Amino acid sequence: MTDSHQQDQPHKCPADDSVRSKDDGSIAVATRRGFMVTAVAAAAACSGCAAAPLPAHADVPGGDCIWRNVAIRGGGFVTGIIPHPARAGLVYARTDVGGAYRRISPDSPWIPMTDWIGRNDANLSGIESLALDPTNPDIVYLAAGMYTQWWAPKGAILRSADQGKTWLQAPLPIKLGGNEPGRFSGSRLMVDPNFPARLFFGSRSDGLWGSDNGARSWRRVDSFPVIGDRDAVGLVSVVFDAASGRPGAPTPVIYVAVSTHRQNLFVSPDAGRTWKAVPGQPVGLRPNQAVLAADGRLYISYGRQPGPNSMTDGAVWCFDTRVRRWEDITPLHPSPHDQFGYGTICVDTGHPDTIMTGTFCRWAHGDTLFRSANAGKSWLPINPRQHGTWTDGGAPWIKWHHNTVSAMNWIGSLQIDPHDSNTAMYTTGCGLFTTRNLTSVDNGGKCEWIFDCRGLEETVVNKLISPPRGPHLLSTVYDIDGFRHDDLRQSPRAGMFNPSFGSNTDIDIAEHEPEFAVRVFGGRNTHGAISHDAGRSWKMFPTGIPGNGGGKVAVCAAAKSIICVPDAEVPHVTTDAGRSWRRCAGLPGGSIVLADRTHAGTFYAFGKGQSRLWVSRNGGESFTAIGNIPIGANECMSVPGLPGHLWLAGDGGLFFSINGGESFHRVAGVDQAYNLGWGKAAPGANYPALFLVGVAAGRYGFYRSDNQGKRWRRINDFSHQFFYINTICGDPRVFGRVYVGTSGRGILFGDSA
């Protein structure tokens, strides 16, 4: 193996009050003051700083706020689940963009383990693989890294010795793809069950990697014959044959599956020193997952493409390692009129003849789970038509405005509980489902599945609005439109916005008539919809916005005009609720437009990377350049009730204007400003509270100012950073309450502690 020289990196722990949260909701607080520790992530959390998880719907101090999730439940692709073989009830889950979770009992909520990941480390929130030490329930490993493109940072292996409460990091010299094709494959990262200090990791483009010291350092296994392929899916499954060895020594026999149509299964008889292709293996399809039963049968699922967006062919094969014989045990073969593949495969630990698998991307007839009690000789289908029922588990949006739950898309991971053959879980592109009466299907009955995402929040949030009256929060998100929240603790009974269009990119309200709201989205010709009842109901624009859809929207304070800016296009205005559109004169393509929250008919516009501010005083029909702004502007905010008051967030800091943008003044102490929002003024104050995501006094965080930016109070800590923040706003009716929209952890709200 070639030494990568990548080991734990120390960094200086900033002075900070860290909070260690416990699974029972109790809190232990420890104050740290500037000592050397081992890094969890650069500029993020420290091993000494108790990188605390945020128990769902529990009150957890984080800086100056108590942080909770605004309840949606699920909403993203849970790419893997692993129950611990040595401790009943302990289950871990990984996601493509939302970090990793654990659950300690069947009735407890999911607990996020990676909320310490911040803006600079958001790449680590895409979890490529998750591995457990089968001999120690407290040890868990994450292969973290979201993308392999040229612009993406390198990945890392994270390890925890306390079930994910704190983490140590070993940086890798390679990139990982937790949100790329084949992301449900696996497991790529595995612990040797006989010699737990040894791990192997299958990369996408850089071959097989190994560690002999509990993931503290990593080396490439040069003897492995495959480095990667042009599709950058690479080595998808590592399987140790524990029975080939004995405890205390490295396991001799190891299998590695590679996502390729050519020879794709390799075996080592000598603990990874040499490798060869397994004779007689099927070719022409890509392996997705592999699992070895206690009786020596190796089961493998295959697909034509790596998924998850498409898979037009597939199969399930069994390799009996005792007699070295291959057998096609595919439950249902695809056809030209019914194309699909097989994504997941699992075995009942206590009954090695009992296996389950699931179709993938079966768009024609809907995906199906299959169960066999005789090693694949015969199969029972489980779907909404046969042997199964589904309920929403307190997340009505999962019905997608139908009478039944949408339960069978992107079946990425399936596990039978190793401690209870009657319990199983499977994951989808929207979350995960659990049944506790699985074996009823063996006698002709139905198993009951529940959407099991309490505490697991994985939406990517684009915009948040907290109106001055009506619902506390309106949101737009990727994939599942957005929500009206009257109760922050409950997933809305009405589900997502209806009609549903998928990824909604922006939302705005008329400040003087906040029941009037407009949202925009991609994928349809109209690209937008209007609500007259604060998001309860929506009506599509009668005619389409010129351009590619999506983008941004700004609504006049008096609800008389709407300006939409499709991605990279010239802004267009309508004064007749979308029946006709006119180009906004005087603005270049890609301009960012906002409405003055006080003066009806006044709009402002700026462009990222440009140094000009434009204003319109005729409802957006035409704009005139009025002044210079700092280059690198990220966001601009108009303050309700204060005409001409503008706040500008930029790479060069925070700036404000009291004359409608004719001149700006820099706010001292703010080095960088990414997102801005306003909320209810502090008692006795006459200026709204300002909320900031940025760098103040050299420290990144979330901040609140109650005196127009003269002083800032940090309202989060290094344990509560929630990845990359896309949007922030305060509540105009509740002092100190702030909402943040994340790049994969849903919506968080904080109340002053």
Side-chain angles (χ1 to χ4, degrees):
M1 293 192 288
T2 302
D3 194 349
S4 72
H5 302 293
Q6 300 295 315
Q7 301 188 37
D8 298 329
Q9 300 298 316
H11 81 283
K12 188 74 170 178
C13 175
D16 188 52
D17 290 341
S18 66
V19 180
R20 183 187 297 269
S21 64
K22 301 179 181 179
D23 293 328
D24 62 4
S26 62
I27 304 297
V29 181
T31 301
R32 311 288 180 180
R33 288 293 180 263
F35 51 88
M36 295 301 294
V37 298
T38 304
V40 172
C46 308
S47 62
C49 283
L54 173 62
H57 307 306
D59 296 346
V60 180
D64 192 48
C65 274
I66 305 296
W67 291 99
R68 311 174 182 94
N69 263 110
V70 175
I72 295 173
R73 297 196 179 184
F77 193 8
V78 181
T79 47
I81 44 173
I82 306 179
H84 202 283
R87 179 168 295 176
L90 180 59
V91 184
Y92 291 89
R94 64 180 174 95
T95 71
D96 56 358
V97 299
Y101 293 77
R102 77 174 179 280
R103 188 165 69 181
I104 60 173
S105 71
D107 297 320
S108 67
W110 291 96
I111 300 167
M113 302 187 297
T114 46
D115 282 350
W116 52 267
I117 296 174
R119 179 185 180 93
N120 292 337
D121 306 294
N123 178 62
L124 298 179
S125 63
I127 308 302
E128 181 87 281
S129 193
L130 186 153
L132 307 180
D133 182 341
T135 68
N136 187 336
D138 293 330
I139 296 178
V140 58
Y141 301 92
L142 302 178
M146 197 177 300
Y147 296 110
T148 60
Q149 280 77 12
W150 63 268
W151 41 262
K154 293 179 173 63
I157 303 295
L158 311 176
R159 71 184 190 276
S160 172
D162 53 13
Q163 296 184 14
K165 297 181 180 70
T166 60
W167 294 91
L168 296 171
Q169 176 183 189
L172 293 174
I174 61 175
K175 298 180 180 183
L176 279 59
N179 193 35
E180 292 191 343
R183 54 189 178 270
F184 62 91
S185 301
S187 293
R188 298 172 182 268
L189 180 65
M190 288 294 288
V191 178
D192 188 330
N194 288 313
F195 195 72
R198 185 170 227 215
L199 297 89
F200 282 105
F201 171 66
S203 73
R204 288 177 172 264
S205 303
D206 299 278
L208 183 66
W209 290 70
S211 172
D212 292 320
N213 56 11
R216 289 169 176 79
S217 62
W218 290 83
R219 297 176 292 171
R220 194 167 75 186
V221 182
D222 291 332
S223 61
F224 193 78
V226 179
I227 298 299
D229 61 12
R230 63 184 180 182
D231 296 311
V233 180
L235 286 57
V236 294
S237 285
V238 177
V239 179
F240 288 93
D241 184 356
S244 69
R246 57 180 176 78
T251 297
V253 177
I254 311 165
Y255 295 91
V256 174
V258 182
S259 181
T260 176
H261 298 133
R262 302 179 296 276
Q263 284 189 326
N264 50 51
L265 184 66
F266 297 85
V267 62
S268 172
D270 50 16
R273 287 189 291 273
T274 62
W275 299 85
K276 64 179 180 180
V278 175
Q281 63 181 273
V283 294
L285 297 173
R286 297 171 179 266
N288 286 316
Q289 294 182 13
V291 60
L292 184 64
D295 62 5
R297 290 187 176 98
L298 181 67
Y299 298 99
I300 305 177
S301 61
Y302 293 86
R304 172 72 63 187
Q305 298 87 3
N309 294 313
S310 65
M311 201 176 291
T312 58
D313 196 5
V316 178
W317 284 76
C318 173
F319 176 58
D320 191 330
T321 64
R322 299 164 299 181
V323 297
R324 300 184 181 181
R325 183 180 66 239
W326 287 91
E327 182 181 2
D328 184 348
I329 58 169
T330 306
L332 177 67
H333 284 281
S335 70
H337 302 290
D338 187 13
Q339 297 183 335
F340 57 89
Y342 286 88
T344 185
I345 189 84
C346 72
V347 64
D348 187 332
T349 300
H351 303 87
D353 282 346
T354 299
I355 56 176
M356 294 185 70
T357 187
T359 63
F360 204 97
C361 289
R362 193 185 181 198
W363 305 119
H365 299 286
D367 280 308
T368 295
L369 297 172
F370 287 97
R371 177 175 170 85
S372 173
N374 53 17
K377 293 181 176 62
S378 62
W379 297 87
L380 279 174
I382 304 174
N383 56 42
R385 301 177 299 278
Q386 301 165 285
H387 303 298
T389 61
W390 278 260
T391 56
D392 65 27
W397 70 267
I398 196 65
K399 295 181 179 178
W400 293 77
H401 305 300
H402 295 96
N403 293 325
T404 58
V405 171
S406 177
M408 307 296 286
N409 72 312
W410 286 14
I411 302 174
S413 182
L414 171 66
Q415 296 286 343
I416 300 171
D417 191 328
H419 308 279
D420 179 9
S421 296
N422 216 21
T423 297
M425 307 176 72
Y426 76 90
T427 72
T428 73
C430 298
L432 58 91
F433 291 84
T434 296
T435 183
R436 297 183 186 174
N437 67 332
L438 176 63
T439 58
S440 63
V441 304
D442 299 334
N443 300 313
K446 291 186 175 182
C447 55
E448 301 166 358
W449 298 89
I450 185 171
F451 192 59
D452 194 8
C453 289
R454 186 163 60 102
L456 199 159
E457 301 283 349
E458 203 206 343
T459 46
V460 176
V461 183
N462 286 318
K463 186 64 178 290
L464 299 173
I465 293 283
S466 184
R469 62 177 182 263
H472 276 283
L473 193 65
L474 300 174
S475 61
T476 52
V477 303
Y478 274 120
D479 299 327
I480 55 174
D481 290 276
F483 296 86
R484 168 185 164 131
H485 272 91
D486 295 280
D487 184 344
L488 302 176
R489 295 299 190 99
Q490 299 293 324
S491 186
R493 293 181 180 179
M496 66 188 79
F497 290 148
N498 188 25
S500 176
F501 300 104
S503 293
N504 284 222
T505 55
D506 200 13
I507 189 169
D508 198 12
I509 62 170
E511 188 67 33
H512 298 167
E513 299 181 28
E515 293 79 13
F516 186 87
V518 182
R519 61 184 170 110
V520 290
F521 40 80
R524 297 289 181 92
N525 290 333
T526 51
H527 305 317
I530 296 174
S531 174
H532 293 275
D533 53 13
R536 291 189 188 275
S537 62
W538 298 87
K539 185 176 181 180
M540 293 169 56
F541 292 158
T543 59
I545 311 166
N548 297 320
K552 300 291 185 181
V553 63
V555 180
C556 167
K560 296 183 181 302
S561 56
I562 303 165
I563 296 178
C564 289
V565 190
D567 292 335
E569 302 285 344
V570 173
H572 281 68
V573 61
T574 180
T575 53
D576 54 13
R579 285 185 288 273
S580 62
W581 296 88
R582 298 172 298 283
R583 179 171 177 165
C584 298
L587 284 184
S591 298
I592 300 171
V593 180
L594 66 146
D596 191 293
R597 293 292 176 187
T598 305
H599 283 311
T602 297
F603 291 87
Y604 305 95
F606 69 97
K608 288 189 176 182
Q610 300 181 15
S611 59
R612 302 294 289 172
L613 182 76
W614 291 268
V615 65
S616 171
R617 306 196 187 280
N618 58 5
E621 298 289 342
S622 61
F623 283 77
T624 303
I626 60 169
N628 293 326
I629 62 172
I631 295 177
N634 298 312
E635 192 170 338
C636 190
M637 178 183 71
S638 170
V639 182
L642 295 166
H645 281 233
L646 298 176
W647 291 78
L648 183 72
D651 293 338
L654 181 63
F655 303 83
F656 72 96
S657 172
I658 59 173
N659 56 12
E662 293 183 10
S663 60
F664 280 88
H665 303 276
R666 191 177 189 278
V667 177
V670 177
D671 307 309
Q672 287 184 303
Y674 303 116
N675 308 99
L676 283 174
W678 56 270
K680 182 178 177 61
N686 57 8
Y687 204 91
L690 297 174
F691 292 96
L692 167 73
V693 179
V695 179
R699 178 182 292 182
Y700 169 79
F702 314 158
Y703 294 88
R704 188 187 82 231
S705 175
D706 299 326
N707 54 9
Q708 295 179 252
K710 296 180 178 67
R711 292 188 302 276
W712 294 92
R713 179 189 298 270
R714 191 180 183 202
I715 57 175
N716 76 316
D717 60 20
F718 284 96
S719 297
H720 303 83
Q721 302 199 83
F722 312 122
F723 316 160
Y724 191 99
I725 304 303
N726 293 329
T727 179
I728 188 172
C729 73
D731 193 311
R733 289 169 282 180
V734 182
F735 169 67
R737 176 169 292 174
V738 61
Y739 305 95
V740 292
T742 73
S743 59
R745 267 287 281 122
I747 307 168
L748 282 300
F749 74 100
D751 285 324
S752 293

